[in-house]
Amino acid sequence: MCGIVAYIGWQDAMPIVLDGLKKLEYRGYDSAGLAILEDKKIEIRRVAGKVAALENLVCENPLVGSIGIGHTRWATHGVPNEQNAHPHMGVSDRIVVVHNGIVENFLELREELVAKGVEFKSETDTETIAHLVEIYYRETNDLVLAVRKTLKKLKGAHGLVVMSTVEPEKLIAARLGNAGGVALGVGENEMFIASDIPAIVNHTRMMTFLESAHLAVVTRDGFMLQDLEGDSVNGVVEEVPWDAVAAEKGKYRHFMQKEIHEQVRSLADTLSGRIDYESHRIWLPGLNLSAAKAKKIKKIFITACGTAAYTGMVGKTLIEQIARVPVEVMVASEFRYADPILEEGTVVLVISQSGETADTLAAMEEARSKGTEVWSIVNAIGSQAMRVADGSISMQVGPEIGVASTKAFTAPVLDLYMLAVYLADLRGGLEEARRIELIEDLLSVPSFVERALAREDQVREVAERYKDMQGALYLGRGINMPIAYEGALKLKEISYKHAEGYPAGEMKHGPIALVDEHMPVIVIASQDPWYDKMVSQIEQTKARNGKVIAIATDGDERIGELADEVLWIPAVPWLLSPVVTVIPLQLFAYHVAALNGLDIDQPRNLAKSVTVE
Ligand code: G6P
């Protein structure tokens, strides 16, 4: 959840750390801090609030030095004030730590430390780490050993970096469990450390990623990896393919708006390299799938969190309709506690933008422990969910910075569609004419999305009329039911308005009681097999004086007459309609929040990568 950046080299560390922290603010932004080491002395600056506040503070009084660590926080233990902001120091001010994760045995460790006379300066769990390293250092005179001993004491999942005056020419980075990544960036006589690629990709693309229970001793000249016993381990440095420019806002006001508009390109990118245009066949080599293996699949169990889980729900219809393989969907936070029945022939498929979400990774572990094959659809290159899966499909959409997910919703829908066609083909259940039709439809998606995006002005006008609404109901059915959930999630995430997504057929069993002239009902009524049902839904809502905002297909006069407002979309084959119906809902949420002057890219209480349970 939190973001970590560190630097050791020949340049001034402070601007590098600050710039990296800004790129990581999507991970948490309630307080920030940095520490710079110079002349065997550590100077710390910390603030409550965002990295911009930290930048203002250090601008007045810059810290000079070529070794530094920084942190942007999403509070778990202790309120987001200056005292609780990282870095945290041990008692003697010789050792500082930045940390991402939760020390699950924090109370126990704190008691032990207090009994030894340690005085705590903050309410955080992280401070225990700083004290433990300090105590073990006193005992051993060996910083790396002290960190290893500390790691062995910690329960939970962690990413951390330690800097010290006792061994000043090195930083120690470590990872335990699934608290998010720790990337090491290799430069010329300089090294970078960060929780995620965008923080350091401006400086180097040569990176390696720490595995769980490994630590890196990082100096200006490079790094050495070891496990918790101190035995050397290998790390492969690879060039990450992302373009740093992709993490800039460009002409847009917010990353979210930019990412909504990027979907024409990101959808084309997710298709790229996967379609043989001659034979009209899909190829997903990352899954390591043969026809024989595909035929043995009896069920796909999709598990994911948030927006990714809604993608999975769309995937259920796609895979069941196209490949006729049964699919079950469960949110990942429930999966490992549900003791899921994973019979032979079941594949567990996780979907994750970050590839770091703690619940999703725990679901993967649960599936693994039951001997089940695990696949992933992931965006973040090098992430845990990508690396540990037996087969993986990369979303290929580039960094997503806005906390509210947009392009990482639509791309995996296409990935799941491709998976469905691929499976159907391998299992021998797809006639050639049908396959060609499915592929032709797929290829048109980026242009449908482009046409839907071209109506942004119209969506903004509707948002202006509804920007003061108290809340909204979103209704969808069949393949567009998850779009109702996703539309409602987008609105609540960034505008803080209460919004509920509902299967339209359930409206009469309760939510209809909410309908009056103040409650807008957003109805997804595209040309899909559930269209007539959605029209009667609009009629039922109008009969109760409800205000209807419909998502409808160009030229649909019936809905044009019935609804109060229509957000028009181009005609699209129904299996692919969710990728298009979601566009006006993303834009609507965005403009309602923008018109209310809210902090769209960093909404309150949220974080983009939820690496704690
Ligand atoms: C957080 C984010 C959501 C995201 C979810 C799953 O809650 O705020 O936007 O959908 O995590 O994230 P993942 O990285 O696993 O897709």
Side-chain angles (χ1 to χ4, degrees):
M1 303 288 283
C2 306
I4 294 173
V5 184
Y7 175 76
I8 178 165
W10 47 271
Q11 304 187 60
D12 215 0
M14 196 183 79
I16 294 172
V17 171
L18 276 174
D19 181 60
L21 289 180
K22 280 190 215 152
K23 306 259 168 56
L24 292 183
E25 271 196 305
Y26 68 85
R27 302 172 71 89
Y29 35 81
D30 56 38
S31 46
L34 54 77
I36 302 290
L37 174 65
E38 180 71 354
D39 289 336
K40 297 207 172 168
K41 201 167 158 265
I42 291 172
E43 288 269 5
I44 296 187
R45 298 284 184 275
R46 304 185 302 191
V47 288
K50 298 192 171 181
V51 176
L54 179 66
E55 194 171 28
N56 287 340
L57 180 76
V58 293
C59 273
E60 287 162 18
N61 190 1
L63 299 177
V64 181
S66 55
I67 308 177
I69 60 177
H71 188 268
T72 176
R73 177 169 184 246
W74 189 81
T76 57
H77 291 68
V79 293
N81 58 15
E82 194 254 314
Q83 222 175 10
N84 290 331
H86 300 214
H88 289 287
M89 272 198 164
V91 267
S92 74
D93 295 355
R94 299 186 299 175
I95 286 164
V96 273
V97 175
V98 284
H99 166 234
N100 173 27
I102 293 179
V103 182
E104 287 174 3
N105 51 340
F106 151 68
L107 287 176
E108 193 184 311
L109 293 176
R110 190 177 162 122
E111 267 172 33
E112 276 178 33
L113 288 163
V114 169
K116 286 186 182 157
V118 172
E119 275 181 35
F120 275 76
K121 292 172 277 226
S122 76
E123 301 157 287
T124 64
D125 52 340
T126 302
E127 200 184 331
T128 55
I129 301 178
H131 292 309
L132 284 171
V133 176
E134 172 111 36
I135 286 171
Y136 288 129
Y137 181 75
R138 272 190 224 147
E139 287 171 16
T140 60
N141 245 353
D142 178 339
L143 189 65
V144 182
L145 180 57
V147 173
R148 286 208 313 268
K149 280 176 162 265
T150 302
L151 291 171
K152 285 185 180 170
K153 288 279 275 187
L154 302 180
K155 291 214 174 107
H158 310 275
L160 54 91
V161 181
V162 176
M163 182 172 82
S164 79
T165 56
V166 292
E167 294 186 21
E169 294 302 307
K170 65 175 70 126
L171 294 169
I172 300 172
R175 173 174 182 180
L176 265 189
N178 299 323
V182 178
L184 305 182
V186 182
E188 295 266 336
N189 301 318
E190 56 184 351
M191 287 287 301
F192 305 82
I193 305 171
S195 307
D196 200 359
I197 296 171
I200 52 176
V201 76
N202 280 341
H203 305 285
T204 177
R205 288 181 174 204
M206 300 310 293
M207 293 189 201
T208 190
F209 301 90
L210 285 192
E211 296 286 346
S212 176
H214 286 178
L215 63 155
V217 181
V218 183
T219 63
R220 290 185 169 85
D221 305 326
F223 65 93
M224 291 204 316
L225 300 183
Q226 53 180 257
D227 62 18
L228 295 189
E229 302 311 319
D231 294 326
S232 296
V233 287
N234 288 330
V236 184
V237 176
E238 281 173 321
E239 185 172 2
V240 296
W242 285 355
D243 187 346
V245 179
E248 304 293 337
K249 257 187 275 195
K251 64 178 180 176
Y252 295 99
R253 271 180 70 198
H254 299 97
F255 277 111
M256 181 182 180
Q257 190 186 25
K258 175 188 172 233
E259 286 157 5
I260 291 173
H261 281 273
E262 254 173 28
Q263 287 174 107
V264 180
R265 202 216 66 216
S266 62
L267 290 168
D269 285 351
T270 209
L271 299 180
S272 146
R274 271 91 188 244
I275 301 171
D276 182 330
Y277 297 95
E278 294 282 301
S279 65
H280 282 88
R281 285 207 141 88
I282 299 286
W283 193 55
L284 297 171
L287 290 183
N288 309 313
L289 201 58
S290 62
K293 213 168 147 189
K295 283 181 187 147
K296 286 191 189 137
I297 296 175
K298 296 206 182 82
K299 174 178 167 180
I300 296 179
F301 206 141
I302 299 180
T303 183
C305 298
T307 288
Y310 298 148
T311 307
M313 290 182 190
V314 177
K316 174 179 165 70
T317 306
L318 293 173
I319 295 169
E320 290 187 344
Q321 291 299 315
I322 299 172
R324 304 306 290 165
V325 175
V327 178
E328 184 172 346
V329 184
M330 187 184 282
V331 288
S333 51
E334 291 294 325
F335 189 89
R336 84 189 107 151
Y337 302 112
D339 191 13
I341 299 166
L342 303 174
E343 287 173 334
E344 215 185 320
T346 299
V347 174
V348 167
L349 168 60
V350 303
I351 304 166
S352 176
Q353 189 291 125
S354 63
E356 291 184 356
T357 302
D359 288 323
T360 306
L361 295 179
M364 291 178 91
E365 271 166 25
E366 170 74 13
R368 262 290 153 68
S369 72
K370 292 189 160 167
T372 307
E373 167 116 1
V374 181
W375 295 346
S376 65
I377 299 179
V378 180
N379 191 35
I381 293 172
S383 62
Q384 178 87 347
M386 187 175 273
R387 282 180 294 134
V388 303
D390 300 303
S392 193
I393 303 174
S394 164
M395 290 185 203
Q396 304 181 161
V397 302
E400 189 183 64
I401 306 295
V403 165
S405 188
T406 51
K407 63 178 178 172
F409 174 80
T410 48
V413 172
L414 293 199
D415 297 330
L416 287 158
Y417 182 100
M418 287 191 282
L419 172 62
V421 176
Y422 189 47
L423 272 179
D425 197 18
L426 287 173
R427 289 160 68 90
L430 201 54
E431 282 175 12
E432 188 175 9
R434 173 82 173 130
R435 196 181 72 237
I436 293 173
E437 183 192 6
L438 287 167
I439 302 279
E440 290 294 330
D441 289 350
L442 178 63
L443 291 172
S444 323
V445 171
S447 77
F448 293 137
V449 168
E450 187 167 26
R451 282 152 65 196
L453 284 167
R455 328 262 166 104
E456 180 169 15
D457 286 349
Q458 186 223 342
V459 181
R460 190 175 50 235
E461 281 166 25
V462 176
E464 251 162 47
R465 290 195 277 281
Y466 288 85
K467 68 178 193 306
D468 298 322
M469 66 191 164
Q470 294 294 306
L473 269 177
Y474 285 69
L475 302 179
R477 227 172 155 147
I479 199 165
N480 277 299
M481 187 182 78
I483 302 305
Y485 297 159
E486 174 61 7
L489 181 66
K490 289 290 88 92
L491 188 73
K492 61 190 147 201
E493 280 180 314
I494 57 170
S495 76
Y496 317 140
K497 291 185 188 291
H498 180 77
E500 267 198 76
Y502 239 84
E506 284 291 294
M507 172 84 161
K508 56 189 173 291
H509 298 299
I512 202 161
L514 297 172
V515 172
D516 62 13
E517 67 277 20
H518 305 297
M519 171 68 80
V521 182
I522 298 167
V523 182
I524 303 157
S526 60
Q527 297 292 337
D528 61 30
W530 300 271
Y531 171 75
D532 287 334
K533 308 275 175 212
M534 296 310 295
V535 174
S536 43
Q537 202 62 62
I538 297 177
E539 275 162 350
Q540 284 173 28
T541 307
K542 290 305 304 170
R544 282 146 187 100
N545 290 326
K547 286 262 182 304
V548 171
I549 304 173
I551 312 294
T553 310
D554 287 340
D556 187 335
E557 290 173 9
R558 205 167 154 203
I559 292 196
E561 277 166 25
L562 271 176
D564 297 276
E565 312 276 356
V566 185
L567 303 177
W568 297 105
I569 54 164
V572 54
W574 74 268
L575 280 169
L576 289 159
S577 61
V579 179
V580 181
T581 53
V582 78
I583 299 290
L585 299 183
Q586 294 172 342
L587 288 169
F588 181 69
Y590 171 78
H591 284 293
V592 169
L595 289 161
N596 280 289
L598 296 168
D599 192 349
I600 290 176
D601 286 330
Q602 292 167 357
R604 71 183 180 205
N605 303 340
L606 300 181
K608 186 141 190 78
S609 304
V610 183
T611 56
V612 293
E613 189 181 346

